[in-house]
């Protein structure tokens, strides 16, 4: 039994799930920053802001 009275197999499974969740939480900001940098590169390659978002010439 663990300190919460659960069988060790259940405690180990909960521990593994907690680690997987923590890895997702920690990895999310890194992935967000990577995607933002990729988006910025694409925007810069199409004229930068606000030029990348113009769809027609202004009259």
């Amino acid at each position: 039994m663990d300190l919460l009275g659960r069988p060790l197999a259940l405690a180990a499974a909960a521990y593994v799930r907690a680690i997987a969740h923590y890895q997702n939480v920690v990895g999310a900001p890194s992935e967000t920053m990577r995607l933002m940098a990729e988006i910025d590169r694409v925007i810069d390659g199409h004229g930068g802001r606000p030029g990348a978002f113009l769809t027609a010439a202004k009259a």
Side-chain angles (χ1 to χ4, degrees):
M1 297 281 185
D2 71 354
L3 294 175
L4 299 176
R6 299 175 293 194
L8 288 181
L10 291 177
Y15 181 71
V16 168
R17 284 192 307 274
I19 289 173
H21 175 71
Y22 178 76
Q23 288 173 331
N24 287 335
V25 169
V26 169
S30 297
E31 180 66 7
T32 300
M33 291 177 67
R34 186 192 68 76
L35 290 171
M36 289 172 59
E38 184 176 337
I39 291 167
D40 287 341
R41 281 192 298 275
V42 170
I43 290 172
D44 290 343
H46 287 88
R49 292 180 173 88
F53 301 100
L54 297 177
T55 57
K58 292 184 180 182

